[in-house]
Amino acid sequence: MFNSLMLEIAITRSQISKRDLAKKLGISEQGLYNKLNGISEFKASEIRALSDELSLSSQEREEIFFAKG
């Protein structure tokens, strides 16, 4: 389970629109919303791309995508 709130904050902080973010990930805007809402999961390549696009630190990436609980 990923931390959707932390990811939403990181997206807002980056000032990249979700439409542009979806394009950079190579997925549809609906696909991004599905992932953000937990309907589908992020692939490892998408996590890497998100980390780069949102300038996430290693700690932030771990807390968002890999934290237990």
Side-chain angles (χ1 to χ4, degrees):
M1 188 70 168
F2 78 101
N3 187 324
S4 59
L5 178 59
M6 281 187 73
L7 182 55
E8 289 283 355
I9 290 169
I11 292 170
T12 301
R13 185 180 63 214
S14 74
Q15 298 183 340
I16 299 172
S17 72
K18 289 180 181 168
R19 175 176 286 165
D20 289 340
L21 192 56
K23 285 180 186 177
K24 290 177 187 222
L25 293 176
I27 60 176
S28 68
E29 196 170 348
Q30 184 62 50
L32 177 60
Y33 280 101
N34 288 345
K35 291 172 189 283
L36 292 173
N37 290 315
I39 296 168
S40 59
E41 294 183 7
F42 286 98
K43 297 177 185 175
S45 60
E46 294 166 341
I47 292 171
R48 272 192 303 278
L50 276 171
S51 294
D52 292 342
E53 290 298 326
L54 302 178
S55 301
L56 299 178
S57 68
S58 300
Q59 182 178 349
E60 288 173 314
R61 184 179 61 243
E62 290 296 317
E63 290 174 358
I64 291 171
F65 295 104
F66 304 109
K68 303 267 193 255

